[in-house]
Each structure stands twice: as structure tokens, then as C-alpha cells.
Amino acid sequence: MCLPHDWLTWRLSGAPGLDALRTDRSEASGTGSWSAATGEYRLDLLRLAFGRDDVLLPQVLGPTGQPGLLRTGAAGGVRRRRRRSSGGMDVAGRAAAAVVDGRAG
């Protein structure tokens, strides 16, 4: 189970297997089955949703984790492999930037 952002990151990396799926904590929480308190997926919720808990899940990266490299030719002709960030520019990232810039309120 992965979100579109995670699938796209995986495809752009050129990784051969689904075991290379990676995500960040913010994206993982969007599945409704990630517990920020324990840092793990909630298998009980997966059983309720899918009737099983042996679903393939992306590895959840920490704040400095990198999900992989862009493969050659991905993203409009990148000629060499480049690092991909693990996300963070979704709602949580924008909220953090607003607080840093003093725009929260």
C-alpha cells in the first residue's frame, strides 16, 4: 500500500522491486495506518481495512532519509543520477516554513 507520491518516487528511481518503496512520516500518516507515537504501521488497522496484515508497505524514512536516486533519463532527460528528497513540501512542510517565516497565526 502506497500513496501516489511514493509510487512516483519509486518509478523515477528505476528500482526493480516494490521492496524499494520509501515514504516520509507525513505521507505515511496519510494512509491512516501509521502511528506517529510508535513509529510503526498499525497492523490491526490494516487487518480491518484489507482483511490481512501482510500487505507490502513502504519503508518510512526519517527527516534526513533519502528514498533513492533519479534514474538516468527520468524527469525530462536528467543525464545522471540525482538524489531525491523524502518529501516534506506537502502540508506539513509548508506549515513548518510558515512558522519559521513568522507567518503562522
Side-chain angles (χ1 to χ4, degrees):
M1 172 181 69
C2 70
L3 297 175
H5 172 268
D6 307 322
W7 180 86
L8 181 60
T9 299
W10 172 73
R11 293 291 297 168
L12 288 173
S13 75
L18 290 174
D19 58 330
L21 282 168
R22 307 287 185 265
T23 193
D24 59 57
R25 294 173 66 90
S26 178
E27 291 289 321
S29 69
T31 66
S33 62
W34 171 259
S35 170
T38 65
E40 298 176 346
Y41 286 100
R42 299 254 326 254
L43 299 181
D44 59 325
L45 296 177
L46 292 170
R47 277 191 295 276
L48 285 171
F50 299 110
R52 52 192 270 193
D53 62 12
D54 61 345
V55 260
L56 182 64
L57 299 164
Q59 176 189 354
V60 180
L61 301 171
T64 60
Q66 296 177 350
L69 301 170
L70 287 176
R71 73 179 189 282
T72 302
V78 173
R79 298 227 190 292
R80 58 191 173 111
R81 294 173 74 83
R82 298 182 184 266
R83 289 184 176 181
R84 276 276 301 128
S85 74
S86 64
M89 282 317 294
D90 57 1
V91 175
R94 287 190 296 274
V99 170
V100 169
D101 290 345
R103 292 180 278 148

